[in-house]
Amino acid sequence: VFKIEGQNSFKEHFASLCYPVFKECCKSVFKDSELAELQSRLLASMLITVIEQWLFAKDCLPPERFYEAVRTTVKQASLKICDTL
């Protein structure tokens, strides 16, 4: 599944699902729409990369721990970013 690139690939499908969510979040933080667009795509790409690395890891975390780790990291990073704006 991960070897397939381009249209209908996991990456494209997942990005199409999470990108709109990130875009809405970024629009409220970044008033510059061009910057919000870039940040949305960057966040979607980063999340896909992290998921792929987790799935390919030999001794990967259980799904619940992985979710909690990603959630905590994103939350802490978001708070830090908002504090500096």
Side-chain angles (χ1 to χ4, degrees):
V1 164
F2 294 105
K3 291 181 181 180
I4 299 171
E5 296 288 330
Q7 191 176 13
N8 298 325
S9 68
F10 167 78
K11 289 178 183 181
E12 291 296 318
H13 176 70
F14 194 77
S16 72
L17 295 175
C18 64
Y19 168 73
V21 175
F22 288 136
K23 187 173 182 180
E24 281 304 309
C25 293
C26 289
K27 278 187 352 188
S28 66
V29 175
F30 302 104
K31 303 305 177 201
D32 180 346
S33 62
E34 215 172 90
L35 185 56
E37 179 78 22
L38 174 66
Q39 294 294 334
S40 304
R41 294 200 182 283
L42 180 64
L43 288 169
S45 294
M46 288 180 354
L47 182 57
I48 291 166
T49 299
V50 168
I51 290 171
E52 284 183 324
Q53 289 174 348
W54 170 64
L55 290 172
F56 287 122
K58 202 169 198 162
D59 297 319
C60 64
L61 292 172
E64 297 80 13
R65 288 213 45 221
F66 173 75
Y67 165 77
E68 198 56 43
V70 171
R71 182 181 167 278
T72 301
T73 302
V74 170
K75 185 177 180 180
Q76 289 175 347
S78 298
L79 291 171
K80 184 70 173 174
I81 291 167
C82 288
D83 284 347
T84 60
L85 290 178

